[in-house]
């Protein structure tokens, strides 16, 4: 009887498995030895697709960037609406894969999906009438805001022990122990509040750009 054939090792399969490892165990949990074991192959076979572990991490990061929806920059939505919808999609991708955020925060480098993302945002802002320098600043600003929101949870940073918030020391934190159980709702609301304020400020600047033009 013929042996069952092992699934062919491919770049996509390596990246998917590496991403799952990073998701569950963090960046420290990814090694070529561990990855090869998860794939059921020998370590050297990985080098037919990637030269180093860093290259694998770069590919994992780019696979997360590829999950961000860019269609809003191509279907005629106003620039403000497009930025909002893109920011929500971007944060959703980062929220699903928070452990890779430190790699993404370093910038797109040579990653194709990351560069397409930057190109789409910059191009849409210039097409909407923003001067190139301000379009660049908007892209940077949005990335700072979205990345920052994905690096940690404000609500999740408070312990659920009421005794940690002695009113003699922290008179305004009497309900802080309740924050953690509403973490998702609080963090989503904070993101939308910040995003709305950011876009409103940009809209005011955009009016000034129009008057100047």
């Amino acid at each position: 009887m013929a042996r069952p054939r092992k699934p062919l090792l491919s770049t996509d399969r390596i990246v998917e498995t590496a991403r799952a490892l990073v998701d569950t165990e963090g960046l420290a949990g990814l090694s070529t030895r561990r990855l090869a074991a998860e794939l059921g192959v020998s370590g050297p076979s990985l080098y037919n697709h990637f030269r180093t572990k860093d290259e694998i991490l770069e590919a994992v990061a780019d696979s997360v960037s590829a999950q961000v929806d860019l269609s809003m920059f191509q279907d005629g939505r106003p620039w403000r609406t497009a930025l909002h919808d893109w920011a929500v999609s971007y944060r959703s991708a980062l929220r699903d894969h928070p452990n890779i955020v430190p790699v993404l925060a370093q910038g797109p480098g040579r990653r194709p999906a990351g560069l397409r993302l930057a190109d789409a945002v910059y191009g849409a802002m210039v097409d909407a009438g923003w001067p190139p320098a301000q379009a660049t600043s908007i892209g940077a600003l949005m990335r700072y805001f979205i990345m920052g929101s994905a690096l940690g949870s404000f609500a999740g940073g408070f312990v659920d022990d009421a005794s940690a918030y002695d009113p003699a020391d922290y008179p305004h934190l009497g309900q802080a122990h309740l924050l953690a159980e509403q973490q998702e709702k609080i963090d989503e609301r904070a993101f939308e509040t910040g995003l709305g304020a950011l876009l409103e400020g940009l809209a005011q600047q955009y009016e000034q750009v129009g008057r100047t033009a």
Side-chain angles (χ1 to χ4, degrees):
M1 179 179 291
R3 294 181 181 178
R5 296 177 60 186
K6 291 183 178 179
L8 291 176
L9 190 61
S10 66
T11 298
D12 288 345
R13 185 168 169 244
I14 293 170
V15 171
E16 289 171 6
T17 305
R19 187 174 61 230
L21 274 175
V22 172
D23 285 345
T24 56
E25 301 185 24
L27 294 173
L30 180 65
S31 67
T32 53
R33 177 178 295 181
R34 177 66 191 284
L35 180 57
E38 287 290 318
L39 289 164
V41 300
S42 63
S45 62
L46 295 176
Y47 299 115
N48 294 324
H49 300 270
F50 296 98
R51 291 175 297 180
T52 65
K53 172 187 161 182
D54 285 344
E55 282 193 0
I56 296 173
L57 271 178
E58 287 288 297
V60 169
D62 210 39
S63 74
V64 173
S65 293
Q67 296 175 13
V68 181
D69 184 13
L70 300 177
S71 64
M72 64 284 298
F73 297 120
Q74 302 158 354
D75 61 12
R77 272 174 256 188
W79 68 267
R80 180 173 173 174
T81 303
L83 271 185
H84 174 276
D85 296 347
W86 166 73
V88 170
S89 177
Y90 199 173
R91 180 172 180 268
S92 177
L94 299 186
R95 186 183 55 209
D96 290 344
H97 307 283
N99 292 333
I100 200 64
V101 173
V103 179
L104 287 165
Q106 298 171 10
R110 296 177 180 272
R111 300 181 213 121
L115 290 171
R116 283 193 294 272
L117 188 154
D119 181 74
V121 175
Y122 176 80
M125 295 305 100
V126 171
D127 289 345
W130 286 97
Q134 286 178 277
T136 299
S137 296
I138 290 170
L141 170 64
M142 296 299 291
R143 193 169 71 85
Y144 297 152
F145 175 70
I146 298 165
M147 290 286 179
S149 74
L151 282 173
S153 165
F154 171 80
F158 292 86
V159 299
D160 61 359
D161 179 4
S163 66
Y165 309 104
D166 189 327
D169 296 321
Y170 316 108
H172 305 295
L173 296 182
Q175 301 296 309
H177 64 288
L178 302 176
L179 292 174
E181 67 184 33
Q182 300 185 54
Q183 175 179 333
E184 184 173 351
K185 179 192 293 185
I186 292 170
D187 290 345
E188 286 290 337
R189 189 168 61 218
F191 177 76
E192 282 291 345
T193 299
L195 181 58
L198 188 156
L199 293 174
E200 179 61 30
L202 287 176
Q204 293 177 21
Q205 291 186 34
Y206 188 69
E207 291 180 5
Q208 182 62 41
V209 167
R211 287 194 294 268
T212 301

